[in-house]
Amino acid sequence: MVDEYEELVIELDLDNEFAASNLGWLLTVRVLVSLSPPVQGWDRYGTSYSTLSEPGHSRAQAERLRVVSARDELLPQELGTVSHRVHKEHLAASTISGEASRALCGVFFVPMQDHAGLEECAECAALLGHLPQ
Ligand SMILES: [Zn+2]
């Protein structure tokens, strides 16, 4: 088996105030979802976002985008598949405001779904075990 993958790295050059606004975050999420869903699959470092996918993903995603944009439609948001650990206060605030929260494992995401029934993020669970009670 060969471990091949495609790495997609984008730099969002947005005005800081706009980037921190809800509209700025919605734009960011829309860009990430359009390039490679789900949003939770992206890592963030400052204004850079990166994700790994299977070979051929970008070509297939470009075709999906061509089809939906020809119909003047948007791609559906694909939500995350795991439940991350986030500070309770941050989660409550960002669920209300729609802003992104940073999970223990470093993933940024906008809480938009009920996490009950989702598999727990293994990296978050491991890091939680190292925190003082
Ligand atoms: Zn996590």
Side-chain angles (χ1 to χ4, degrees), residues 1-2 13 16 22 30 32 35 42 44 48 51 53-54 57 63 65 70 83 86 97 109-111 114-115 119 122 127:
M1 188 180 139
V2 183
D13 186 17
N16 278 342
N22 280 343
R30 188 43 71 187
L32 300 181
L35 294 173
W42 287 83
R44 176 182 182 184
S48 288
T51 190
S53 27
E54 294 166 20
H57 171 85
E63 187 52 36
L65 285 171
S83 174
V86 178
S97 68
F109 68 100
V110 179
D114 186 357
H115 59 85
E119 189 179 319
L127 290 166

Side-chain angles (χ1 to χ4, degrees), residues 36-86:
S36 183
V39 173
Q40 275 191 0
W42 287 83
D43 288 324
R44 176 182 182 184
Y45 183 77
T47 56
S48 288
Y49 296 83
S50 66
T51 190
L52 297 176
S53 27
E54 294 166 20
H57 171 85
S58 295
R59 185 180 298 259
Q61 187 68 8
E63 187 52 36
R64 287 177 71 197
L65 285 171
R66 240 188 305 280
V67 170
V68 294
S69 75
R71 288 193 227 128
D72 273 341
E73 293 174 4
L74 293 173
L75 286 176
Q77 290 231 20
E78 292 182 32
L79 299 175
T81 54
V82 295
S83 174
H84 291 285
R85 294 291 187 148
V86 178

Side-chain angles (χ1 to χ4, degrees), residues 82-85 103-107 121-125:
V82 295
S83 174
H84 291 285
R85 294 291 187 148
L104 265 180
C105 66
V107 165
C121 167
E123 205 174 332
C124 277

Side-chain angles (χ1 to χ4, degrees), residues 17-31:
E17 197 177 324
F18 177 69
S21 71
N22 280 343
L23 189 59
W25 179 248
L26 284 175
L27 171 71
T28 300
V29 167
R30 188 43 71 187
V31 167

